[in-house]
């Protein structure tokens, strides 16, 4: 270990001006045994630095290299693991914990002892030595002589010290002078002793010779001491003088500090006073405007607005800590509060008077609008009130209670005003729809002084009678053969459509203008926002808008949007009932009016929803649209029920059924109304329901018909349906159009075949028997040998149908068909032509059977195909 220590000192530490004091051979705990050395070193230059250096043998050669170094100041804990048992493991706590295993416990103890000594001598730092034997630390320091220990530590630690070059040279010279020193050590020692004695004597003589010089030196020292005493005396006097100067300077310094502190405080005080004066001083002009300003003139309103804003800024100034404890600040704040209360009362009182005056002024204009289908214009009133919008915003932020009171008063006054205007407006609309003559009395209404006085109860009564009136109309029409579905013509419906459109066109801008005014005047946000609900819904007859209002806290945006809608609902609470009454009246006048209303209302709802889906107008029109849709569905259901309840006359032919004609009228009217409409889907669904009902009930009536054959009823009505669908080109009914055509074709063929069996009845029976024998297996050429079907029987049957009889039979058939068919559908020639073709087909079939079953017999019909054509043409022309 000594050789390794010497090599490390020479190769690693001497070039760095360091001395190696202790070394221990270690390896890391828990890993592969890779040995290295921990070295305790000190620098040779001052200030002395103590380090713990890790040295490792190089992998490429037989030399050592410095791997890492820690200063002893960074060492916090030395843990020896066990203070009683010998254990080679120990930990060093630097920036992290390093766990080591020494080659032997003795080396570990020596290294820890050296660390302890170095700490005591150079650092005096509190390093925790954990689980280290107290005996090991006590042996390192003898008791009572810390300073001597500190002085002797270095010698105790320094077990080996290398000779310098001069010492080596002197020893070599001395040994060369005594060649026998090695062979005779006693003689060499004796020689050295003699030389030492000679040197001691010379030293004594030299000392004795220098006694005189010593005395001179002592004398000089005494004189020097006297001079020092004099200097010290002068210095003491100077010090006393400077002490008084120092006291005076300290007093001056303290005085300057107090002056500076006073100046600083004065500057700060001035800044605070200027802040309060600048931010809490209200101009006299503003005070006068708030107390006496004219709220009726534009200049007065502007002055009051500026004064209110200035007052709000003074009241909302952010006071610094401690300001609120000043009496002047408290008095000023109280003065501002009194001004605010006074002006808020003046403003609220003035605006209430404006609201009341508006109600009186607007009422005077109602007379001129009572005979016209227009609503009064509120724009001048809104324009005048918007001058107060900034003051309303000020009132909202400073006194929410009065702001809320103004809001309620505005709703109360305006709701009564709008109720009168809207009711008069709807009365005019109802008069224009029904007139003041017999028509108005017919619907339970009568005119008086240009106003409609029919009540809602009469409209409700009409609602109950609606389906019965239309059913009675349909029944009378069936009996009379009339094709119209209503006693009103297209002009009346067009008039109703225009009136209804004008009503909606007048209401829509009125509501939008009022909503926009409310938003601007009451400073409420109406832009789309996140959905939200109020904490407590407002009762439309009174109460608060939400629980938050009572606290005086302004509402969030979503609640403000709800507040606009609630205000609109209260102001225009009569619009929805009046619209429903108007719709009920239109439906009673003519149930087909629901088609016009559905299209118009759908368009206005679509327009309103594009502007704001949650607005009052959009919601109200949407609710009314639901009512119109119900009336429309009821109209469809009534038509289907009337189809089911239809009764046909037993004495007259059926012809085109009334509900088929009504469907044609409905479809034609609906297509003209719903052209480019938004709710085409509702009409398509109604078409599907109606056409199914028409199909089912046509078949039902055909089955019940006694006067007219079933095939004729089916043929004529489905031909009419097919023609209607082909003309109107309703895309959703393409399948029904094909079905109607097929039913018409099938029943036409069935009727022709059934009718043609009568003119040549015996001939038909004879050839049916022939075909039956052939079907039983008898060969066709052998049928003539059958007794019932021989040539004589055939000639006998044929003679019964000469040309004259055939023509007579066809003439009778034509007359019967003419009686069956109706004139409206004009199918006689079509049916007659089909019968001609079918007759010719049967004639060809009979001739074919004669040729195959009676070959060579020479038996032929007594008329030809040309005769048939001539007969049919002659009969058709004669009729």
């Amino acid at each position: 270990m000594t050789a390794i220590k010497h090599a490390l000192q020479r190769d690693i530490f001497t070039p760095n001006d360091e001395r190696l004091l202790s070394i221990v051979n270690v390896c890391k705990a828990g890993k592969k045994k890779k040995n290295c050395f921990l070295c305790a070193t000190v620098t040779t230059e001052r200030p002395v630095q103590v380090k713990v250096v890790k040295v490792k043998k190089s992998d490429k050669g037989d030399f050592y290299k410095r791997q890492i170094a820690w200063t002893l100041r960074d060492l916090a804990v030395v843990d020896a693991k066990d203070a009683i048992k010998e254990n080679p493991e120990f930990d060093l706590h630097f920036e992290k914990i390093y766990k080591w295993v020494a080659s032997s416990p003795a080396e570990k103890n020596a290294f820890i002892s050296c660390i302890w000594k170095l700490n005591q001598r150079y650092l005096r730092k509190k390093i925790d030595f954990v689980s280290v034997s107290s005996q090991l630390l006590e042996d390192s320091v003898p008791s009572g002589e810390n300073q001597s220990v500190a002085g002797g530590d270095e010698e105790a630690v320094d077990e080996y010290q290398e000779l310098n070059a001069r010492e080596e040279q002197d020893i070599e010279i001395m040994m060369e002078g005594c060649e026998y020193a090695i062979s005779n050590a006693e003689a060499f020692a004796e020689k050295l002793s003699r030389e030492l004695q000679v040197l001691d004597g010379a030293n004594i003589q030299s000392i004795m010779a220098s006694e005189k010089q010593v005395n001179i030196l002592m004398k000089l020292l005494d004189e020097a001491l006297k001079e020092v005493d004099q200097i010290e005396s002068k210095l003491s006097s100077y010090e006393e003088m400077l002490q008084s100067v120092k006291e005076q300077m300290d007093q001056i310094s303290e005085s300057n500090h107090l002056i500076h502190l006073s100046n600083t405080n004065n500057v700060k005080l001035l800044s605070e006073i200027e802040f309060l004066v600048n931010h809490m001083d209200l101009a006299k002009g503003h005070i006068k405007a708030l107390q006496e300003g004219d709220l009726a003139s534009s200049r007065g309103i502007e002055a009051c607005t500026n004064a209110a804003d200035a007052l709000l800024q003074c009241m909302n100034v952010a006071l610094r800590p401690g300001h609120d404890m000043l009496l002047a600040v408290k008095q000023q704040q109280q003065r501002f509060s009194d001004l605010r209360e006074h002006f808020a009362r003046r403003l609220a009182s003035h605006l209430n008077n404006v609201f009341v005056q508006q109600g009186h002024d607007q009422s005077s204009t109602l007379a001129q609008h009572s005979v016209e289908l227009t609503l009064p214009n509120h724009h001048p009133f809104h324009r005048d009130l918007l001058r107060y919008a900034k003051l309303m915003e000020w009132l909202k932020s400073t006194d929410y209670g009065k702001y809320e009171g103004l809001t309620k008063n505005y709703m109360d006054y305006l709701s009564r005003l709008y109720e009168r205007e809207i009711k008069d407006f709807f009365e005019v609309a109802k008069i224009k729809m029904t007139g003041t003559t017999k028509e108005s009395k017919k619907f339970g209404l009568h005119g008086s002084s240009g106003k409609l006085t029919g009540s809602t109860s009469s409209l409700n009564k009409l609602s109950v009678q609606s389906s019965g009136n239309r059913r009675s109309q349909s029944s009378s029409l069936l009996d009379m053969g009339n094709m119209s579905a209503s006693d009103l013509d297209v002009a009346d419906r067009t008039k109703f459509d225009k009136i209804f459109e004008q009503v909606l066109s007048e209401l829509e801008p009125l509501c939008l203008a009022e909503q926009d005014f409310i938003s601007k005047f009451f400073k409420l946000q109406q832009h789309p926002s996140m959905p939200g609900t109020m904490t407590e819904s407002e009762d439309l007859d009174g109460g608060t808008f939400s629980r938050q209002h009572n606290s005086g806290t302004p509402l969030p945006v979503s609640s403000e949007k709800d507040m606009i809608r609630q205000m609109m609902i209260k102001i225009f609470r009569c619009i929805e009932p009046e619209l429903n009454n108007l719709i009920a009246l239109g439906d009673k006048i003519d149930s087909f009016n629901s088609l016009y209303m559905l299209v118009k209302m759908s368009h206005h709802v679509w327009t309103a929803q594009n502007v704001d889906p949650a607005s009052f107008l959009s919601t109200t029109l949407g609710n009314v649209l639901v009512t119109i849709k119900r009336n429309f569905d009821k109209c469809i259901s009534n038509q289907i029920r009337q189809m089911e309840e239809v009764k046909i006359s037993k004495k007259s032919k059926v012809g085109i059924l009334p509900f088929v004609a009504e469907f044609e009228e409905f479809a034609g009217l609906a297509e003209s109304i719903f052209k480019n409409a938004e709710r085409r889907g509702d009409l398509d669904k109604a078409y599907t329901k109606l056409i199914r009902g028409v199909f089912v009930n046509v078949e039902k009536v055909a089955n019940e018909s006694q006067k007219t054959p079933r095939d004729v009823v089916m043929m004529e009505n489905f031909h009419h349906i097919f023609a209607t669908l082909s003309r109107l080109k309703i895309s959703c009914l393409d399948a029904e159009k094909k079905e109607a055509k097929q039913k018409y074709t099938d029943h036409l063929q069935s009727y022709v075949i059934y009718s043609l069996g009568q003119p040549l009845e015996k001939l038909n029976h004879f050839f049916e028997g022939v075909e039956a024998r052939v079907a039983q297996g008898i060969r066709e050429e052998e049928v003539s040998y059958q007794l019932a079907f021989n040539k004589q029987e055939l000639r006998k049957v044929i003679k019964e149908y000469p040309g004259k009889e055939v023509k007579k039979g066809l003439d009778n058939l034509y007359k019967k068909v003419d009686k069956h068919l109706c004139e409206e559908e004009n199918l006689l020639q079509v049916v007659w032509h089909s019968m001609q073709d079918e007759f010719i087909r049967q004639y060809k079939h009979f001739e074919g059977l004669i040729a195959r079953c009676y070959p060579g017999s020479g038996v032929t019909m007594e008329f030809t195909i040309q005769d048939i054509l001539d007969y049919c043409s002659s009969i058709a022309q004669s009729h």
Side-chain angles (χ1 to χ4, degrees):
M1 183 62 73
T2 303
I4 293 174
K5 183 176 180 182
H6 180 70
L8 293 176
Q9 176 68 50
R10 182 185 66 242
D11 298 337
I12 295 177
F13 298 113
T14 298
N16 293 328
D17 296 330
E18 292 178 305
R19 290 171 52 204
L20 177 61
L21 302 182
S22 181
I23 185 173
V24 56
N25 186 6
V26 297
C27 62
K28 288 188 177 180
K31 294 187 177 181
K32 294 182 179 180
K33 303 296 182 180
K34 291 185 179 181
N35 290 345
C36 59
F37 295 99
L38 292 180
C39 305
T41 67
V42 295
T43 59
T44 57
E45 297 180 356
R46 295 184 181 276
V48 176
Q49 294 184 4
V50 184
K51 298 181 181 179
V52 177
V53 182
K54 178 182 176 184
V55 177
K56 185 179 179 182
K57 196 169 186 179
S58 175
D59 297 334
K60 297 181 180 179
D62 226 5
F63 60 91
Y64 295 92
K65 64 179 181 179
R66 187 183 187 125
Q67 191 171 16
I68 190 171
W70 304 274
T71 61
L72 195 63
R73 294 183 182 278
D74 296 334
L75 182 61
V77 178
V78 177
D79 188 357
K81 297 297 184 181
D82 197 334
I84 300 174
K85 295 182 180 180
E86 294 291 336
N87 184 4
E89 296 181 1
F90 67 98
D91 295 345
L92 299 181
H93 294 217
F94 289 102
E95 75 280 0
K96 65 178 184 177
I97 301 174
Y98 294 90
K99 298 182 180 292
W100 308 100
V101 179
S103 59
S104 67
E107 286 188 16
K108 180 190 83 170
N109 293 338
F111 183 76
I112 293 176
S113 177
C114 179
I115 294 294
W116 192 86
K117 292 175 183 177
L118 291 174
N119 178 58
Q120 291 295 317
R121 179 173 182 181
Y122 294 106
L123 302 179
R124 298 287 182 176
K125 176 177 174 289
K126 184 171 179 59
I127 298 177
D128 292 335
F129 288 84
V130 181
S131 301
V132 179
S133 172
S134 59
Q135 184 179 1
L136 181 64
L137 301 180
E138 290 172 359
D139 291 345
S140 300
V141 182
S143 59
E145 296 183 2
N146 293 337
Q147 193 65 32
S148 63
V149 169
D153 280 343
E154 185 175 348
E155 297 176 1
V157 172
D158 190 10
E159 297 178 359
Y160 173 80
Q161 185 173 355
E162 186 179 7
L163 295 176
N164 57 33
R166 185 174 179 181
E167 289 174 342
E168 289 180 357
Q169 185 179 1
D170 291 342
I171 291 175
E172 288 177 356
I173 293 172
M174 185 178 63
M175 292 181 70
E176 287 176 357
C178 301
E179 297 180 351
Y180 57 86
I182 299 174
S183 58
N184 191 353
E186 293 181 357
F188 179 68
E190 184 178 354
K191 182 180 177 181
L192 292 176
S193 177
R194 286 196 303 271
E195 290 180 354
L196 181 61
Q197 290 177 358
V198 172
L199 290 174
D200 288 341
N203 288 334
I204 293 172
Q205 290 178 0
S206 176
I207 291 171
M208 292 177 65
S210 62
E211 181 178 1
K212 184 178 179 180
Q213 295 178 355
V214 169
N215 290 332
I216 295 171
L217 178 62
M218 292 297 294
K219 186 177 179 181
L220 292 174
L221 288 174
D222 290 338
E223 293 177 354
L225 288 172
K226 290 180 181 178
E227 292 292 334
V228 168
D229 290 339
Q230 292 177 1
I231 292 173
E232 286 182 352
S233 176
K234 289 183 178 181
L235 290 175
S236 296
S237 64
Y238 292 158
E239 185 177 1
E240 291 177 359
M241 295 170 64
L242 290 174
Q243 183 66 31
S244 63
V245 173
K246 179 178 179 298
E247 291 176 357
Q248 293 177 7
M249 293 301 296
D250 289 343
Q251 292 177 359
I252 293 172
S253 175
E254 184 178 359
S255 176
N256 288 337
H257 174 72
L258 292 176
I259 292 172
H260 177 72
L261 182 62
S262 176
N263 289 337
T264 303
N265 290 338
N266 289 334
V267 171
K268 290 183 178 179
L269 179 60
L270 180 61
S271 174
E272 297 295 329
I273 293 174
E274 288 178 347
F275 173 81
L276 293 176
V277 170
N278 292 336
H279 292 85
M280 294 193 67
D281 185 27
L282 191 62
K284 293 182 178 179
H286 289 333
I287 295 175
K288 184 176 181 181
L290 292 174
Q291 291 176 341
E292 304 172 1
D294 183 12
L295 289 172
S297 65
S298 297
R299 293 184 62 182
I301 293 172
E302 183 179 1
C304 291
T305 301
N306 296 333
D309 290 340
L311 175 63
L312 186 61
Q313 290 178 3
C314 291
M315 296 187 69
N316 291 339
V317 64
L319 295 177
R320 297 170 184 172
H323 283 177
D324 54 350
M325 300 177 65
L326 297 174
L327 179 61
V329 172
K330 292 180 180 178
Q331 292 175 348
Q332 192 74 344
Q333 287 178 334
Q334 183 61 41
R335 185 182 182 189
F336 290 156
S337 179
D338 294 341
L339 276 174
R340 182 192 63 189
E341 290 292 331
H342 176 72
F343 181 68
R345 284 195 302 270
R346 277 207 322 130
L347 179 62
S349 175
H350 179 77
L351 288 178
N352 279 326
N353 293 335
V354 173
F355 297 158
V356 174
Q357 184 64 32
Q358 167 61 16
H360 294 312
D361 294 344
Q362 201 74 13
S363 298
S364 63
T365 64
L366 290 179
Q368 65 184 24
H369 293 278
S370 60
V371 294
E372 301 175 4
L373 193 56
T374 56
L375 282 166
N377 187 4
H378 287 245
H379 177 69
F381 174 58
H382 291 165
R383 183 191 58 221
D384 293 341
L385 277 181
L386 283 176
R387 297 182 301 167
Y388 301 94
K390 291 185 178 180
L391 290 176
M392 283 298 295
E393 184 178 12
W394 175 85
L395 190 64
K396 180 180 179 182
S397 60
T398 57
D399 194 338
Y400 199 82
K402 289 186 174 58
Y403 168 84
E404 189 178 36
L406 277 175
T407 304
K408 292 178 184 176
N409 291 340
Y410 179 82
M411 289 189 296
D412 291 339
Y413 292 130
L414 266 294
S415 62
R416 292 195 290 268
L417 175 62
Y418 275 120
E419 187 170 3
R420 292 195 303 270
E421 293 178 353
I422 291 172
K423 284 187 176 180
D424 289 345
F425 172 73
F426 275 94
E427 286 174 355
V428 173
K430 293 171 187 176
I431 291 173
K432 288 184 177 292
M433 285 182 182
T434 61
T436 56
T437 57
K438 296 180 180 180
E439 286 81 357
S440 61
K441 296 180 180 179
K442 174 181 176 182
F443 295 100
L445 305 167
H446 61 278
S448 176
S449 300
K451 293 188 177 181
L452 189 68
T453 58
S455 63
T456 305
S457 60
S458 64
L459 293 177
N460 294 333
K461 184 177 180 181
L462 285 171
S463 177
V464 177
Q465 298 172 350
S466 159
S467 59
N469 291 341
R470 187 157 186 84
R471 193 182 310 118
S472 63
Q473 289 174 5
S474 299
S475 300
S476 62
L477 292 172
L478 285 171
D479 295 336
M480 296 167 58
N482 190 352
M483 293 297 107
S484 176
S486 174
D487 59 351
L488 297 175
D489 56 11
V490 176
D492 294 326
R493 289 173 179 163
T494 305
K495 175 184 174 183
F496 173 85
D497 182 39
K498 290 181 179 179
I499 293 173
F500 190 74
E501 171 62 25
Q502 189 173 358
V503 168
L504 296 180
S505 299
E506 288 288 324
L507 288 176
E508 185 171 339
L510 180 72
C511 294
L512 292 177
E514 183 64 31
Q515 180 170 312
D516 185 60
F517 168 74
I518 288 174
S519 173
K520 293 177 180 178
F521 182 71
F522 292 99
K523 294 300 177 182
L524 299 172
Q525 295 286 341
Q526 62 173 336
H527 300 293
S529 60
M530 293 300 291
T533 57
M534 302 173 71
T535 58
E536 179 183 343
S537 297
E538 180 204 23
D539 181 2
L540 293 180
D541 295 329
T544 59
F545 289 100
S546 74
R547 188 176 293 113
Q548 293 177 342
H549 290 182
N550 294 333
S551 65
T553 304
L555 295 172
V557 174
S558 59
S559 295
E560 288 188 352
K561 190 177 178 183
D562 290 336
M563 185 175 175
I564 293 177
R565 187 164 54 249
Q566 294 294 341
M567 290 178 68
M568 291 291 291
I569 289 174
K570 183 167 184 180
I571 292 173
F572 292 108
R573 58 190 172 189
C574 64
I575 284 184
E576 187 170 340
E578 290 294 333
L579 274 174
N580 286 332
N581 290 340
L582 187 69
I583 290 165
L585 175 62
D587 195 51
K588 304 321 161 281
I589 294 173
D590 183 0
S591 61
F592 282 1
N593 284 335
S594 60
L595 279 70
Y596 291 98
M597 292 188 286
L598 182 63
V599 171
K600 295 299 182 184
M601 187 61 73
S602 298
H603 175 71
H604 283 271
V605 169
W606 180 80
T607 304
Q609 287 182 342
N610 284 340
V611 176
D612 184 1
S615 67
F616 163 78
L617 182 65
S618 177
T619 305
T620 302
L621 295 183
N623 294 338
V624 176
L625 179 60
V626 172
T627 303
I628 294 175
K629 178 62 169 58
R630 289 185 185 138
N631 290 345
F632 175 74
D633 293 340
K634 185 164 49 172
C635 173
I636 301 301
S637 301
N638 287 340
Q639 290 190 56
I640 295 174
R641 184 172 66 253
Q642 289 166 15
M643 295 178 195
E644 296 170 350
E645 296 174 355
V646 70
K647 301 297 181 182
I648 59 173
S649 175
K650 297 180 180 179
K651 298 180 180 180
S652 60
K653 56 186 176 183
V654 176
I656 302 302
L657 293 169
F659 57 78
V660 174
E662 285 181 356
F663 174 77
E664 179 184 11
E665 180 189 7
F666 174 84
L669 180 64
E671 286 302 306
S672 64
I673 295 173
F674 277 80
K675 187 177 182 180
N676 301 323
E678 287 84 3
R679 296 182 68 95
R680 177 76 194 190
D682 294 332
L683 180 62
D684 290 344
K685 293 177 182 177
Y687 276 149
T688 304
K689 293 179 181 178
L690 281 176
I691 200 68
R692 285 291 106 200
V694 169
F695 280 15
V696 170
N697 287 285
V698 165
E699 191 163 352
K700 174 187 172 186
V701 172
N703 292 333
E704 296 174 354
S705 174
Q706 297 179 3
K707 182 72 175 176
T708 306
R710 178 180 183 275
D711 288 328
V712 172
V713 177
M714 297 287 284
M715 174 185 65
E716 288 183 326
N717 283 279
F718 279 107
H719 177 269
H720 191 86
I721 294 170
F722 170 71
T724 299
L725 297 180
S726 299
R727 175 172 54 83
L728 296 177
K729 297 179 181 178
I730 302 173
S731 58
C732 67
L733 298 180
D734 285 343
E736 285 77 6
K737 181 176 70 173
K738 294 178 182 178
E739 183 180 354
K741 182 179 180 181
Q742 187 63 42
K743 287 181 178 291
Y744 156 68
T745 305
D746 292 344
H747 288 284
L748 172 61
Q749 190 67 23
S750 174
Y751 177 65
V752 168
I753 294 173
Y754 170 77
S755 300
L756 280 177
Q758 296 174 1
L760 305 177
E761 184 175 2
K762 293 181 179 180
L763 195 60
N764 275 331
H765 289 325
F766 180 85
F767 282 111
E768 285 175 1
V770 171
E771 289 175 340
R773 296 297 185 274
V774 173
Q776 293 173 0
I778 299 175
R779 295 174 63 184
E780 289 181 342
E781 59 270 18
E782 295 178 357
V783 172
S784 60
Y785 298 108
Q786 297 291 320
L787 183 60
F789 302 100
N790 55 26
K791 297 176 183 178
Q792 288 77 15
E793 291 295 328
L794 176 60
R795 288 189 180 97
K796 183 179 178 182
V797 173
I798 288 176
K799 285 182 179 180
E800 292 185 10
Y801 295 100
K804 186 178 180 179
E805 284 295 324
V806 171
K807 183 178 180 180
K808 182 179 179 181
L810 288 174
D811 187 62
N812 293 332
L813 178 61
Y814 187 91
K815 292 177 181 178
K816 183 168 287 191
V817 170
D818 189 21
K819 290 180 180 180
H820 288 164
L821 299 179
C822 65
E823 296 178 0
E824 297 94 324
E825 203 60 22
N826 197 22
L827 287 178
L828 179 58
Q829 295 303 319
V830 176
V831 174
W832 185 244
H833 190 272
S834 298
M835 286 185 170
Q836 173 184 295
D837 294 340
E838 179 63 22
F839 198 7
I840 292 173
R841 188 191 65 76
Q842 289 185 13
Y843 179 87
K844 291 179 179 179
H845 178 63
F846 294 157
E847 282 193 333
L849 287 176
I850 292 172
R852 292 194 304 274
C853 298
Y854 303 93
S857 63
V859 179
T860 60
M861 304 287 283
E862 294 192 1
F863 54 92
T864 62
I865 292 178
Q866 185 60 45
D867 293 334
I868 296 174
L869 293 174
D870 293 340
Y871 298 155
C872 291
S873 177
S874 175
I875 292 171
Q877 291 176 4
S878 65
H879 287 81

